[in-house]
Amino acid sequence: MARHNFIQLKPFFTFRVLWIIKSVFEISVCQEIYAPHSVRIEGDVTLGGLFPVHARGVPGMPCGDIKKENGIHRLEAMMYALDQINSDEELLPNITLGARVLDTCSKDTYALEQSLTFVQALIQKDTSDVRCTNGEPPVFVKPEKVVGVIGASASSVSIMVANILRLFQIPQISYASTAPELSDDRRYDYFSRVVPPDSYQAQAMVDIVKAMGWNYVSTVASEGSYGEKGVDAFMQLSREAGGICIAQSLKIPHEHKTEHFDKTIRLLMDTRYARAVLLFASDEDIRGVLNASKRADQVGHFLWIGSDSWGAKNSPIHQLEDAAIGAVTILPKRATISGFDAYFTSRTLENNRRNVWFAEYWEENFNCKLMSSSKKEETSRKCTGQERIGTDSKYEQEGKVQFVIDAVYAMAHALHNMQRDLCPEYSGICLSMEEAGGKKLLKYIRSVSFNGSASTLVTFNRNGDAPGRYDLFQYQMNNVTGPGYRLIGTWMETLQLNMEEMQWPNSEAEVPTSVCSLPCRTGERKKIVKGMPCCWHCEPCDGYQYQHDEFTCKLCAYDMRPNGNRTACQPIPIVKLEWHSAWAVIPVFLAMLGIIATLFVVATFVRYNDTPIVRASGRELSYVLLTGIFLCYVITFLMIAKPDVGVCSFRRIFLGLGMCISYAALLTKTNRIHRIFEEGKKSVTAPRLISPTSQLAIAFSLISVQLLGVFVWFGVDPPNTLVDYEEQKTLNPTLSRGVLKCDITDLQIICSLGYSILLMVTCTVYAIKTRGVPESFNEAKPIGFTMYTTCIVWLAFIPIFFGTSQSAEKLYIQTTTLTISMNLSASVALGMLYMPKVYVILFHPELNVQKRKRSFKAVVTAATMSSRLSHKASERPNGEAKTELCENVDPNSPAAKKKYVSYNNLVN
């Protein structure tokens, strides 16, 4: 088994171990290996101990200054535990535990060399060819057999030592090593620990970071297994948990200088929004980082989260308290062991000679010198030996004391159970127990279960790990007691944190932020920075987009627009042309005036229906024309009314019908005049279809074409309403509106009016052709002026109507333009054709008298003479040629004897 495990080691490490063992063997043949700086306590069973009594030395020196708390306190805790066990009659009766305690000097390679002391009893030595320098054979003192080792403290040291101890199957129980890789039972199968691994601690840190709402943090680790593996565990767990990003992961080298710490702070400031910094570092490195932050004037900026190496110790923050304010630290759940306090404070130089480093501790603790050869050079004060710990110096129990005691007790309970099973009828160590070996002892170690020194259950899982139980502290400033650690929560698989008890640097009332990017405002989506899921840019959902989720904007449906905060879509408001709108008021006002005027004209004509002027104007076509004019005014109200199927149906019917009726009547009149005078030039025969009945038939035939087109339109595309969301879909969604309107396109409107425009153009052509007809011949001149003016109106209408097709105000502009154009067309016809007649009828009734009837021959003569005389008009003063043809002659006047006739009397 040992050989198999040996082969699994890395080649370099295997070579190093073999070289060290060879060196040990060569030295030990002449003298016993006995580290002069070690604690040795005789006993039936010897336990090894590894403690960082001294700090790491400067280059070239293995050891540095003595470590009062981490070193001496922990070492004395083992001594205290041994004393308690040896005095316990129930635990290991008749068996005394001894110890061999070594100093690791906080350095893994030095600890490895020291730990070879534990295995020398297991090394077989062939000394047959060995002689001392004086030629004598060597004299050997058999070294004690170490059955188990308590330690080490630093994870890097435990890893190094565990590799050598497993070769010789020596179980090891650590009181402080928490590196996750030590949980690997295949590589460190003889390693156990009474503290939880950093994987639990890292999980607690992840839970703390998430509870604070931080998602952007940096990490700082001491070079070595403890720091690097702890950070790796945190990063792995944070990736699995999600929502936490690592801004920077920095490492402090073993051989560090002040510049390394200053550089660390500079690098941390490069990502200044990552205020939370996790520290998996040694005491010295923690002090170095805090000092550097103070030198950089960044006190209060960083939010430190310290691992159990910081815990609730004062040594890392001594004289750096202001830089540590607000730091959250983690410490495996522990209690102060009052028995140890009484034991340690009673230690003196006289009663503690077994601790070879106690004199050095005494000098450091009391700042005095015991002898002239002392290394204590900062003071000249002599130690009296009467100083007392806790009275003449400050004393506070170190945080890992409880775990040292529990580790010793775990080994003792395993030995006790092993002795009970292997030596059931023997009080003490029997042969079976001596030959059992470390593999069997490991089995008993992993099976122990007892209440430890703090009354908490001490057990190990299959990997040799203790359960995760942590206390959470925060270093706070108290106005009464001054700065100190305050318990703010616990972690036992789940986080229990009292947020109300927490204080922050610079008296910040709320939990400080440590985020890469601030939360996006409502209506903005996150655009994640590549490779950094906690960093993003906020992009607003623009246009008609709404925030579907925190990462996506989606387009609203065609009839929807985003609400005010763009979290959802809401229906686009639907509008129509309102009666109170300025766009509607003017057309309605004109239409009402026109309707009143039209009704007035109709009423006047009906009242004076048999008078000469009404009869001479062609009553039948006049009423048809007035009906068309009335409908032109009425369409204004249909165009402004709220669209529905009924309104849309009437719009289709009357949109072009009013103009069609008007221009059909006018075309019939102008065509009649043109045909009469053209026919009169050729013969004396009256043209066909000039009677009132024929004229009505012609007019209604023209009108029927419009109605036929409308009915075909009804069949092909039944009238309906729709909401046009594109017409007023502005860039700004808040201004967007849906327009309720009839399902009539611009092209359909023009087609509906097209036939009427064709009639209008044809009528205009006839008006031009009959422009030379005397004024009294059936209103040829007024009709001409009416058509000219109407053409101008509609020529202006077309560019306005189509030029505004892309405008947001299209509905209003086109409707207003169309209705005003129709009102103006009707008003021009009404004003020019009927107002003069109404004026004569009402205000000059003497002119509304019957004229003499003429024969068609007279009409033909008049037409012929009119044609001839029109070329000689300049030869007659004041246009006599025209007046002869146009004047109304009284039958009794002398002029009546002339053969000139009136066409008006002929046709009526």
Side-chain angles (χ1 to χ4, degrees), residues 212-214 275 300-301 303 503-505 508-515:
M212 299 296 180
W214 299 334
R275 293 181 61 186
H301 174 75
L303 308 169
Q503 295 179 7
W504 302 105
E508 295 183 57
E510 301 294 330
V511 177
T513 60
S514 181
V515 295

Side-chain angles (χ1 to χ4, degrees), residues 617 625 663 666 669-670 673 763-764 767-768 770-790 825 827-837:
S617 64
L625 179 57
Y663 298 128
L666 288 175
K669 278 193 174 188
T670 54
I673 296 173
C763 188
T764 304
I768 295 172
T770 59
R771 67 184 182 276
V773 175
E775 294 175 359
S776 294
F777 282 90
N778 277 18
E779 311 135 322
K781 292 290 191 297
I783 291 175
F785 290 135
T786 299
M787 299 318 301
Y788 305 151
T789 306
T790 303
S825 299
S827 299
V828 167
L830 186 67
M832 290 190 173
L833 297 178
Y834 291 102
M835 286 308 170
K837 294 180 176 60

Side-chain angles (χ1 to χ4, degrees), residues 186-220:
R186 294 171 299 175
R187 295 178 57 194
Y188 306 104
D189 45 349
Y190 282 84
F191 178 84
S192 304
R193 49 188 164 189
V194 291
V195 289
D198 285 338
S199 54
Y200 294 153
Q201 183 176 193
Q203 182 62 61
M205 287 183 162
V206 169
D207 292 346
I208 291 170
V209 169
K210 295 184 77 69
M212 299 296 180
W214 299 334
N215 65 9
Y216 196 49
V217 299
S218 297
T219 64
V220 177

Side-chain angles (χ1 to χ4, degrees), residues 363-375:
E363 289 181 328
E364 182 69 25
N365 190 54
F366 295 109
N367 194 27
C368 61
K369 299 173 69 173
L370 285 171
M371 56 190 74
S372 58
S373 62
S374 172
K375 297 179 181 179

Side-chain angles (χ1 to χ4, degrees), residues 581-628:
S581 169
W583 298 99
V585 168
I586 295 175
V588 168
F589 177 73
L590 293 177
M592 292 179 67
L593 290 180
I595 289 173
I596 294 172
T598 303
L599 293 176
F600 179 75
V601 170
V602 171
T604 302
F605 267 51
V606 171
R607 170 70 177 80
Y608 299 97
N609 188 55
D610 292 326
T611 59
I613 288 182
V614 174
R615 293 176 61 194
S617 64
R619 288 175 296 184
E620 294 77 7
L621 285 180
S622 291
Y623 289 129
V624 172
L625 179 57
L626 287 171
T627 301

Side-chain angles (χ1 to χ4, degrees), residues 487-517:
L487 183 67
I488 57 170
T490 59
W491 189 92
M492 288 184 288
E493 297 186 357
T494 58
L495 179 66
Q496 303 292 328
L497 193 62
N498 190 351
M499 300 289 288
E500 291 75 17
E501 298 291 334
M502 302 184 75
Q503 295 179 7
W504 302 105
N506 304 322
S507 302
E508 295 183 57
E510 301 294 330
V511 177
T513 60
S514 181
V515 295
C516 180
S517 303

